[in-house]
Amino acid sequence: MTRGEHGISREDISANALKVMYRLNGAGFESYLVGGCVRDILMGHEPKDFDVATNATPEQIKGLFKNCRLIGRRFRLAHIVFGREIIEVATFRGHHQESDEDENVPKAKVVAKRDSHGQLVRDNVFGSIEEDAERRDFTFNAMYYSVADFTVTDFANGLAAIEKREVELIGDPETRYREDPVRMLRAVRFAVKLGMRIEEKTAEPIKPLANLLQNIPPARLFEETLKLFLSGKGEVTFLMLHEYGLIEPLFPQLAPFLKDENSREMQFVRRVLANTDERINSNQRVTPAFLYAALLWYPVEEQSQHLQSESGLNAHDAFNIASGEVISRQTQRIMIPKRFSTVVRDIWILQQRLPKRFGRRAFQLLTHPKFRAGYDFLLVRGQVEGGDLLELAQWWTHFQHADNGKQKGMLNALRKSEGGAKGGPRKRKRKPAKRGPDA
Ligand code: ATP
Ligand code: MG
């Protein structure tokens, strides 16, 4: 496509990306904008970032830019850093060859390697632009824009896919998913993000192959799940993942609770994701911890019940042990960095503590650093489960906004109506707390 046939002008492109391409071209290399940025500009969206592909090797790129860092193990890439903007520059990738089988291929070229599931574990073969295009995931991600002649080269009929509004893999879908199972998640992510459906042949193998996601390193899945759930369309994404059987390999402990579309567990997760979407779309802060706390809440509750009835642990200990177990099982699939998992546990512990409001406790809870998250969490639980839980959440809604006199009144009223009931002072006498009254 020439300049007149596509809608891309230099105005749409980051000045830094242009600088990078002019410098590469000036040094005698080819360079192109490629991937999401070309797709987004052609669809009339503003690109999130700008990726460049080139026939220069990482070392040659480094030689041209002072502000260049080489990164990546699986793929080696150059990052050209301009303050807060990073232009990612990748050398054209070639076809993967099976190093063990093909003795005729020179060793230096053979750095792609597959494991027993067909997954690529090492992948640094340089190639031509055509090969680079074939190795990309979806047809609409293999369009290349050149500033040398202002043309767009559409190697895989990506434009047609955009017109049909279809997410379509390049090549044989099963092979492509086996090479990199994360492409299944990307198919869903792009379908939701771009408002498309997944083309039939691309959709078909997802359910049968979903379990291959078990072979992906937990750290990579953490990054991918953030992109899925913190996109501003998390609820729709979750439902589509569920439809394609992709929740099971990601959250094996949650999946059994989702069999019934109308279950309170499903309602709860949807509501939390919908709230998260709302916050993101109005530029409010969100934390992955809240999301993980929600996705794993019912598994923890169930496990805690189970421990109480099986091993006679008290509620407090059972809950603590269950929390640890559920988190540790989850991190075998998806890594949860410590700074988030501690907040997950804070939110859960607050669910145990918020019902206990007598005496100073209510005031102490208000000053808990995670009170807000714990309260928000309780509120969604209350909205979904109703009954006492909703009343409790509403009590906290009023309490936190009341003045001191009113707060004392609320606590007195509570004592009168519930005096001696669960969580009341009498219980504390019966079972002295080991770690002080507020442990
Ligand atoms: P977004 O706008 O969400 O960033 P994107 O298309 O730019 O979408 P990236 O993850 O930034 O997605 O990847 C950039 C490009 O690299 C993609 O457009 C695609 O061509 C290629 N790519 C990324 N991940 C894969 C993959 N797992 N397999 C094959 N190609 C991939
Ligand atoms: Mg991108």
Side-chain angles (χ1 to χ4, degrees):
M1 269 183 295
T2 57
R3 197 198 309 223
E5 294 167 306
H6 60 71
I8 301 184
S9 84
R10 271 168 293 177
E11 320 266 278
D12 303 318
I13 302 167
S14 137
N16 293 323
L18 290 171
K19 232 184 276 176
V20 168
M21 290 188 286
Y22 286 131
R23 171 101 42 106
L24 283 162
N25 295 355
F29 298 108
E30 290 171 42
S31 70
Y32 304 85
L33 278 184
V34 64
C37 57
V38 179
R39 175 198 73 217
D40 288 347
I41 296 172
L42 288 170
M43 291 185 74
H45 303 159
E46 198 187 322
K48 211 172 59 192
D49 44 35
F50 292 85
D51 296 331
V52 171
T54 179
N55 60 351
T57 65
E59 283 69 26
Q60 288 170 326
I61 300 164
K62 187 150 181 62
L64 287 173
F65 299 93
K66 294 197 297 293
N67 47 340
C68 170
R69 285 195 314 245
L70 297 186
I71 58 140
R73 277 160 294 154
R74 222 166 79 92
F75 304 135
R76 275 187 83 214
L77 295 171
H79 275 178
I80 320 290
V81 183
F82 298 89
R84 290 180 52 205
E85 189 181 18
I86 293 176
I87 307 296
E88 193 171 286
V89 184
T91 308
F92 294 146
R93 286 181 203 139
H95 285 295
H96 357 87
Q97 282 126 353
E98 305 300 324
S99 51
D100 300 335
E101 278 123 339
D102 195 345
E103 289 299 314
N104 299 323
V105 182
K107 272 277 173 290
K109 253 211 124 204
V110 182
V111 280
K113 213 167 162 33
R114 281 170 208 266
D115 68 8
S116 56
H117 307 281
Q119 193 176 324
L120 289 168
V121 288
R122 206 147 32 92
D123 198 6
N124 234 341
V125 185
F126 301 137
S128 65
I129 188 169
E130 289 83 5
E131 289 172 313
D132 188 83
E134 271 178 55
R135 303 246 341 239
R136 293 187 177 267
D137 48 6
F138 301 102
T139 56
F140 50 52
N141 283 344
M143 297 184 282
Y144 294 68
Y145 175 80
S146 162
V147 283
D149 57 10
F150 310 110
T151 56
V152 170
T153 312
D154 178 5
F155 286 97
N157 277 326
L159 214 58
I162 289 176
E163 267 151 30
K164 286 185 289 183
R165 306 202 76 77
E166 282 183 349
V167 178
E168 184 182 26
L169 270 171
I170 298 172
D172 171 57
E174 177 164 347
T175 310
R176 302 309 310 280
Y177 290 137
R178 284 187 182 279
E179 281 174 1
D180 182 3
V182 167
R183 288 172 186 151
M184 296 187 271
L185 302 178
R186 291 174 60 86
V188 170
R189 182 160 77 82
F190 288 127
V192 173
K193 170 177 167 152
L194 305 172
M196 296 182 176
R197 63 184 169 275
I198 304 179
E199 179 272 333
E200 206 177 314
K201 288 201 181 63
T202 296
E204 245 166 36
I206 297 182
K207 252 190 187 165
L209 298 181
N211 267 321
L212 291 176
L213 283 169
Q214 290 180 35
N215 307 318
I216 301 298
R220 184 167 177 217
L221 286 183
F222 177 70
E223 297 301 323
E224 291 298 329
T225 47
L226 292 189
K227 286 189 210 162
L228 289 164
F229 296 134
L230 301 182
S231 60
K233 293 179 178 173
E235 185 189 9
V236 182
T237 304
F238 182 86
L239 291 175
M240 196 184 280
L241 289 171
H242 183 49
E243 181 190 326
Y244 282 103
L246 293 166
I247 294 298
E248 162 81 40
L250 295 177
F251 298 96
Q253 302 177 98
L254 170 66
F257 291 96
L258 305 177
K259 298 228 165 80
D260 173 7
E261 304 291 315
N262 300 313
S263 66
R264 62 168 191 179
E265 291 85 357
M266 187 57 138
Q267 296 311 314
F268 177 68
V269 168
R270 287 186 62 171
R271 224 176 235 264
V272 167
L273 286 164
N275 290 352
T276 305
D277 290 344
E278 230 178 87
R279 292 182 67 94
I280 290 170
N281 297 324
S282 57
N283 291 318
Q284 287 172 275
R285 238 176 50 88
V286 294
T287 165
F290 196 89
L291 225 59
Y292 276 89
L295 292 167
L296 300 173
W297 169 250
Y298 286 106
V300 168
E301 266 209 325
E302 189 187 63
Q303 177 66 358
S304 173
Q305 292 299 330
H306 176 77
L307 286 173
Q308 282 181 64
S309 58
E310 290 292 295
S311 30
L313 288 168
N314 68 41
H316 178 268
D317 293 346
F319 186 79
N320 268 340
I321 293 172
S323 302
E325 286 178 355
V326 167
I327 288 182
S328 108
R329 263 182 243 134
Q330 180 59 49
T331 51
Q332 289 166 14
R333 292 291 165 87
I334 305 180
M335 186 198 68
I336 310 175
K338 240 261 116 64
R339 64 182 187 284
F340 297 128
S341 63
T342 53
V343 179
V344 169
R345 292 190 75 150
D346 281 343
I347 292 172
W348 289 345
I349 289 167
L350 279 166
Q351 305 312 299
Q352 305 299 103
R353 290 177 57 185
L354 287 167
K356 302 172 184 162
R357 294 156 286 175
F358 285 93
R360 283 173 301 132
R361 287 187 178 203
F363 292 106
Q364 283 168 346
L365 282 169
L366 282 184
T367 67
H368 190 289
K370 295 294 166 223
F371 170 81
R372 186 72 216 183
Y375 158 75
D376 284 342
F377 198 86
L378 178 71
L379 193 58
V380 186
R381 290 175 60 214
Q383 287 163 347
V384 171
E385 294 188 25
D388 289 351
L389 211 51
L390 183 58
E391 258 175 53
L392 177 65
Q394 286 167 342
W395 188 92
W396 278 106
T397 307
H398 295 135
F399 187 76
Q400 64 185 301
H401 296 120
D403 61 31
N404 193 263
K406 184 111 195 295
Q407 286 176 329
K408 285 186 177 144
M410 287 179 76
L411 287 169
N412 277 334
L414 193 66
R415 196 166 303 128
K416 272 185 206 133
S417 70
E418 283 183 35
K422 219 170 90 188
R426 235 189 266 162
K427 190 184 170 196
R428 230 161 69 202
K429 258 181 237 154
R430 244 190 285 131
K431 194 173 90 37
K434 287 188 203 104
R435 276 168 286 159
D438 201 44

